């Protein structure tokens, strides 16, 4: 499955970068993320509640930020176990593009 999306934020690129590297704001930005606990540099233990069709499961695993290119981009990788639901793995690429003095996509 591949998901794509974009948002326009009324902030500078530096402000968006800072927010995406704040643990609580990063947790809020990840759909279904119930907890995000730092366990190392750019690494977190995560608990995600996921629904795919009628199947609902909680996945516990690790989330890692890599390929950091401040303040432009990074990659997020997740791998975890969902009990009877099996194994989950995914990644996301995050890019911050300046649209104006107080506007970042």
């Amino acid at each position: 499955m591949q998901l794509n999306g974009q948002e326009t934020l009324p902030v500078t690129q530096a402000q968006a970068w800072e927010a995406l590297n704040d643990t609580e704001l990063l947790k809020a930005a990840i759909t279904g993320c119930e907890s995000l606990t730092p366990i190392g540099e750019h690494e977190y233990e995560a608990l995600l509640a996921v629904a795919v069709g009628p199947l609902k499961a909680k996945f516990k695993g690790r989330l890692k930020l890599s390929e950091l290119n401040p303040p432009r981009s990074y990659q997020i990788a997740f791998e975890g176990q969902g009990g009877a639901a099996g194994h989950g793995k995914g990644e996301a690429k995050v890019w911050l593009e300046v649209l104006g003095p107080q506007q970042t996509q």
Side-chain angles (χ1 to χ4, degrees):
M1 175 178 5
Q2 184 171 2
L3 304 172
N4 293 302
Q6 60 187 22
E7 294 291 329
T8 301
L9 307 171
V11 297
T12 66
Q13 184 183 48
Q15 289 170 314
W17 178 262
E18 186 176 322
L20 286 173
N21 284 280
D22 175 275
T23 304
E24 284 303 309
L25 292 174
L26 180 59
K27 175 184 155 197
I30 300 170
T31 303
C33 189
E34 294 184 352
S35 69
L36 195 60
T37 307
I39 57 172
E41 188 172 11
H42 308 298
E43 272 192 82
Y44 305 88
E45 185 175 275
L47 178 63
L48 283 85
V50 179
V52 179
L55 178 65
K56 293 181 182 177
K58 288 196 179 199
F59 287 85
K60 185 175 183 178
R62 291 186 180 233
L63 184 136
K64 183 172 183 167
L65 305 181
S66 63
E67 299 182 29
L68 281 82
N69 182 14
R72 299 190 99 151
S73 63
Y74 63 56
Q75 184 166 315
I76 301 173
F78 173 78
E79 190 167 344
Q81 294 291 326
H87 177 81
K89 187 174 181 180
E91 65 181 39
K93 294 182 181 177
V94 178
W95 289 278
L96 297 174
E97 182 179 336
V98 176
L99 299 179
Q102 287 289 318
Q103 197 172 31
T104 303
Q105 184 174 55

